[in-house]
Amino acid sequence: MSTNRSIRRNSQQRQVILEELQRLKSHPTAADLYEIVRRRLPRISLGTVYRNLELLAEQGTIRRLDAGAVQARFDGKLALHHHIRCQSCGSVDDIELPPLDLSGFIPQNTGGYEVYGHRLEFFGICPQCRKS
Amino acid sequence: MSTNRSIRRNSQQRQVILEELQRLKSHPTAADLYEIVRRRLPRISLGTVYRNLELLAEQGTIRRLDAGAVQARFDGKLALHHHIRCQSCGSVDDIELPPLDLSGFIPQNTGGYEVYGHRLEFFGICPQCRKS
DNA sequence: ATGGCTGCAAACAGTTTGCATGCCC
DNA sequence: GGGCATGCAAACTGTTTGCAGCCAT
């Protein structure tokens, strides 16, 4: 969430990490990517992969999925409702939506998946964090 | 993901955890709930909270948010698209959707949040896991 | 030459698990 | 009384970070 204002250098490592991620059609974890990048840069460290993924996501060059889901959260309310997550502090609240029927949007090509359901989640900045 | 087939007992701890979670309108982490439950059961352990939340979610009594998001995953493709996650192995793939305009579904009551966007994610079982 | 970046390893945070004991059925 | 569940602590997994040296600018 912190913005790095320093001037960026174009390191070998960062370039290769980005190249390999963009080449893939999958959505690798940092460890996956580490193994792949290691074939080209055998001395790279996992820490460097993490640092660069963080940096690239921050500047918008790549996307991090599951953003902000550092800890598991639990909901005692089973009735259908949606959530909004604060990108700054990670808190989660219920959100009111107009009646929303996504059943017409069942995916056409599931890539062989058996689809059980979906989750629609919003993200933004919560009242507390907006103040600062 | 494993299914526990043994007969369930109705422990004090499990009851209190469920009661407190259902009473809350928020979406606490395991640690949050541990602190709350501890006020009624001072000798409860964090491990017990985790075990029971897992168990309650498995039997469908509560919901776990961010299910299966154990590791961060990264995407080199910035163009708008949606994902499907395998509930069994955690893998993530792109999914094809018909044109989907959610702009009409901007939340009415955001609870003071400044809304930046949303994420629509599907979940199911991937081809590999379906075989087993 | 400067200072951002790296490799390495230790530290951290969240979660899981092994074990002896406790307690619900 | 039997065996699921607990408390405790250690182990694990994923991620972050401090540091000394390296390398792009």
Side-chain angles (χ1 to χ4, degrees):
Chain A
M1 292 296 145
S2 72
T3 309
N4 186 342
R5 289 173 210 292
S6 54
I7 292 139
R8 297 262 152 71
R9 283 187 191 165
N10 204 3
S11 77
Q12 207 35 223
Q13 288 86 337
R14 182 164 324 145
Q15 250 169 238
V16 172
I17 289 167
L18 179 57
E19 272 176 39
E20 292 297 335
L21 178 57
Q22 290 181 332
R23 189 198 316 282
L24 289 167
K25 346 149 216 25
S26 64
H27 306 87
T29 64
D32 293 339
L33 211 39
Y34 170 60
E35 288 306 330
I36 290 163
V37 167
R38 220 138 78 99
R39 302 205 279 258
R40 290 174 61 186
L41 302 173
R43 292 190 50 75
I44 199 173
S45 75
L46 183 55
T48 296
V49 173
Y50 272 105
R51 270 186 290 233
N52 278 298
L53 287 173
E54 164 69 23
L55 198 150
L56 290 165
E58 206 175 273
Q59 69 183 30
T61 311
I62 66 173
R63 278 213 299 158
R64 156 188 255 126
L65 311 183
D66 329 307
V70 274
Q71 293 180 68
R73 286 178 176 272
F74 299 85
D75 192 341
K77 191 167 69 171
L78 291 176
L80 178 68
H81 62 285
H82 297 93
H83 296 122
I84 185 163
R85 182 185 303 272
C86 179
Q87 293 181 299
S88 174
C89 71
S91 68
V92 177
D93 281 298
D94 290 350
I95 196 164
E96 286 178 32
L97 269 189
L100 170 56
D101 182 13
L102 276 173
S103 55
F105 291 112
I106 295 300
Q108 295 174 321
N109 180 354
T110 66
Y113 271 76
E114 184 172 346
V115 182
Y116 283 165
H118 62 263
R119 179 178 9 252
L120 175 59
E121 186 181 280
F122 293 80
F123 46 89
I125 303 292
C126 76
Q128 283 84 345
C129 290
R130 281 175 77 179
K131 290 179 193 156
S132 38
Chain B
M1 291 300 147
S2 71
T3 309
N4 187 342
R5 288 172 209 294
S6 54
I7 292 138
R8 296 264 153 69
R9 284 187 191 163
N10 204 4
S11 75
Q12 202 46 218
Q13 289 86 336
R14 177 137 63 230
Q15 251 168 239
V16 173
I17 288 166
L18 179 57
E19 272 177 38
E20 292 297 336
L21 178 56
Q22 289 179 334
R23 188 198 316 282
L24 288 168
K25 352 149 210 27
S26 63
H27 306 87
T29 64
D32 293 339
L33 211 38
Y34 170 60
E35 287 306 329
I36 290 163
V37 169
R38 219 137 79 100
R39 303 206 276 258
R40 290 175 62 186
L41 302 173
R43 292 191 50 74
I44 199 173
S45 75
L46 183 55
T48 296
V49 174
Y50 272 106
R51 269 185 292 232
N52 279 298
L53 287 173
E54 164 69 23
L55 199 147
L56 290 166
E58 205 174 275
Q59 69 183 31
T61 310
I62 65 173
R63 278 211 301 156
R64 158 190 251 124
L65 311 183
D66 329 306
V70 274
Q71 294 179 66
R73 287 179 176 271
F74 298 86
D75 193 341
K77 191 167 69 172
L78 291 176
L80 178 69
H81 62 284
H82 297 93
H83 296 122
I84 186 163
R85 183 186 303 272
C86 178
Q87 293 180 298
S88 174
C89 72
S91 70
V92 178
D93 281 297
D94 290 348
I95 196 164
E96 285 178 32
L97 269 190
L100 170 56
D101 182 13
L102 276 174
S103 54
F105 291 113
I106 293 301
Q108 294 173 323
N109 181 352
T110 65
Y113 272 77
E114 183 172 347
V115 182
Y116 283 167
H118 61 264
R119 181 179 5 255
L120 175 59
E121 186 180 278
F122 293 81
F123 48 89
I125 303 292
C126 75
Q128 282 84 346
C129 290
R130 283 176 74 180
K131 291 180 191 156
S132 38

